[in-house]
Amino acid sequence: MNELEKPASQALLARRQAAMPRGVPLISNFTVDSAHGSTIRTLEGVDVLDFASGIGVTGTGHTHPEVVEAITTQARRLLHACIHVATYEPYVALCERLVQLLPHGGPTKAMLLNSGAEAVENAIKIARQATGRPSVICFEGAFHGRTLLGMSLTSKVRYKSGCGPLAPEIYRVPFADYFHGGDGLSEEAFVARELHRLDEAFSVVVAAEQVAAIIVEPVLGEGGIIPAPPAWLRGLRKRCDQHGILLIFDEVQTGFCRTGDYGAFQVLGVTPDLSTWAKAMASGLPISAVVGRADVMDAAQLGTIGGTFGGNPVAAAAALATLTIMEREQLGARAVEVGAIIRSRLEPTAEKLAGHAQVRGLGAMIGIELYGETVHDPDGAAVADVLRACHERGLLVIGAGVHGSVIRILTPLTIATSELERGLGILTDELMRRAG
């Protein structure tokens, strides 16, 4: 269906433009009337295969009936109380479940919030109070949200253009991006070099004894689907222990089975002191969490963390149902299977693109980057072209990367293999069409 045959969608997009500020991003021109499983239905009744999952949110698929039932049942009982005012069971039950699934090396505690950015803000507040230190180290390519502190930690310039002054005591150092910065080194030699650069940063950027926390995504999401080398993460852990710094993993996009377990830290074998979670946590309802070592979590002074709507009972009920589905359907293992299928189609395609594409990721968090003569020549225009063509053929897929040169695949983890193969057929077809 061409654009002239979409009057309902055109009308809604026009209303959006008139009523909403232009600074709110829009990735596609699809409209959504309903969605189930791995399919979105537009206002015109056209079915679209969803390879974006609302940016990694609908891991259990759209409108999973058990999640919907949990939402409706809870909504009839209690819509809001505020955990600061009175205690309600879904909040406590979800925290109990999180500390069971995501132990942080001993006694663990959790708190609930509304969004990934808010989780990041609270994790930093907890770290500063626990250590009595002001500074935070973050990394190039990072995305940690669009709140003031979140965007201060976020690397991509266009997300914070004109929003300064930004939060102080934020220090950015290079991420261990072996895919772009390996320079022919073995991964072992590369990791040693990058850890040495961090050691040097403690002398020329910020003193280690001033650093409260190092915050890192185990896999850069918005930064281009770039997994951190496990040995580098182990090196971060060692240095944090040496210098009394807290290690924070931002698992907002990697978490809840996307990378092969409930958390990427479990896959990679490195346990942080604090971690932040959101996105796939409740299958689409807004909720997030900070999870961490009990002694660190308890360092926050009364009233310094929390929020009116954090851990809303309906969202908490949705999260509990989501975790039950993930456990029963073994979605961590399914993510590994989905990732293997994606790689089996994209890696041969990348080879046919004559050295101008690279596939990478962890579990079912996969990206393919397009570039020119070398990896240092990102081809965002080609990615935009591929995305438009996929959208025209009924496949919703989105991009990533500092230069928009990465096609990011975040399918529902419950996607049927036949649907996955069909979507990959469209994507690989469009990639090869541009190669020809």
Side-chain angles (χ1 to χ4, degrees):
M1 182 180 290
N2 65 44
E3 294 301 318
L4 295 177
E5 296 172 326
K6 300 178 180 179
S9 292
Q10 284 185 323
L12 184 58
L13 291 169
R15 288 168 54 197
R16 171 187 173 126
Q17 186 175 17
M20 294 171 55
R22 65 179 183 175
V24 179
L26 179 60
I27 293 173
S28 80
N29 285 326
F30 287 122
T31 57
V32 184
D33 179 65
S34 63
H36 303 286
S38 301
T39 302
I40 289 171
R41 178 160 290 181
T42 71
L43 292 177
E44 284 77 22
V46 176
D47 287 340
V48 176
L49 186 57
D50 185 8
F51 269 30
S53 301
I55 314 185
V57 170
T58 55
T60 59
H62 291 283
T63 60
H64 193 292
E66 291 178 41
V67 177
V68 172
E69 179 62 28
I71 291 168
T72 54
T73 299
Q74 181 59 48
R76 294 187 188 102
R77 295 178 61 88
L78 177 67
L79 284 172
H80 177 72
C82 183
I83 199 66
H84 302 177
V85 175
T87 303
Y88 47 92
E89 202 271 344
Y91 190 114
V92 177
L94 181 54
C95 288
E96 289 172 336
R97 192 75 175 277
L98 291 173
V99 302
Q100 174 197 7
L101 294 174
L102 305 167
H104 278 48
T108 303
K109 289 190 174 183
M111 65 174 293
L112 306 178
L113 300 143
N114 303 296
S115 69
E118 193 175 13
V120 167
E121 297 251 352
N122 279 269
I124 297 300
K125 288 191 292 183
I126 292 167
R128 283 173 166 166
Q129 292 181 80
T131 62
R133 300 174 179 181
S135 302
V136 179
I137 289 177
C138 57
F139 294 93
E140 293 175 4
F143 183 86
H144 298 294
R146 291 183 174 89
T147 54
L148 178 62
L149 181 55
M151 76 169 64
S152 299
L153 294 165
T154 289
S155 179
K156 201 167 184 176
V157 172
R158 76 177 181 88
Y159 288 137
K160 50 192 176 182
S161 178
C163 297
L166 300 176
E169 292 298 329
I170 303 297
Y171 298 92
R172 191 175 314 282
V173 298
F175 182 82
D177 180 357
Y178 184 59
F179 299 95
H180 297 98
D183 300 327
L185 297 173
S186 68
E187 185 168 320
E188 181 180 7
F190 170 78
V191 166
R193 186 189 74 184
E194 295 306 298
L195 290 172
H196 177 71
R197 293 173 74 177
L198 178 60
D199 293 335
E200 288 294 300
F202 289 138
S203 297
V204 300
V205 177
V206 58
E209 59 267 24
Q210 293 296 308
V211 178
I214 294 176
I215 184 168
V216 62
E217 296 167 90
V219 181
L220 292 184
E222 182 65 24
I225 315 298
I226 303 172
W232 181 71
L233 293 175
R234 291 194 294 270
L236 294 186
R237 176 73 275 173
K238 179 179 178 180
R239 282 153 179 79
C240 285
D241 292 340
Q242 288 174 338
H243 297 295
I245 298 168
L246 296 178
L247 181 60
I248 303 174
F249 277 9
D250 183 337
E251 294 252 23
V252 168
Q253 191 167 148
T254 53
F256 297 110
C257 297
R258 173 62 56 184
T259 48
D261 206 330
Y262 289 102
F265 80 89
Q266 295 161 317
V267 177
L268 297 168
V270 180
T271 303
D273 301 294
L274 294 165
S275 55
T276 59
W277 309 81
K279 287 195 182 293
M281 185 171 169
S283 297
L285 266 66
I287 194 168
S288 65
V290 179
V291 181
R293 282 171 35 202
D295 62 314
V296 175
M297 295 288 284
D298 281 337
Q301 298 178 38
L302 184 64
T304 60
I305 54 177
T308 301
F309 293 104
N312 169 272
V314 178
L320 286 164
T322 297
L323 292 173
T324 296
I325 295 163
M326 288 179 170
E327 183 174 13
R328 185 187 67 237
E329 300 188 13
Q330 299 183 316
L331 291 189
R334 177 57 178 164
V336 175
E337 294 174 355
V338 168
I341 293 169
I342 294 170
R343 286 181 177 276
S344 73
R345 297 295 298 274
L346 290 188
E347 287 174 348
T349 301
E351 291 178 6
K352 293 175 184 176
L353 293 175
H356 299 294
Q358 183 182 77
V359 179
R360 54 181 183 256
L362 185 66
M365 186 176 179
I366 303 291
I368 178 169
E369 182 163 15
L370 304 184
Y371 47 85
E373 292 304 314
T374 72
V375 295
H376 302 294
D377 182 22
D379 196 345
V383 166
D385 191 29
V386 171
L387 295 181
R388 281 191 298 269
C390 288
H391 295 175
E392 290 171 2
R393 295 180 61 178
L395 175 66
L396 177 55
V397 64
I398 61 177
V402 174
H403 303 285
S405 56
V406 178
I407 298 168
R408 172 169 36 172
I409 303 175
L410 300 171
T411 71
L413 302 178
T414 53
I415 189 169
T417 299
S418 60
E419 293 178 311
L420 182 59
E421 292 282 7
R422 177 163 60 88
L424 289 170
I426 294 171
L427 177 56
T428 55
D429 185 36
E430 293 303 327
L431 285 167
M432 292 308 300
R433 190 187 305 276
R434 270 128 200 93

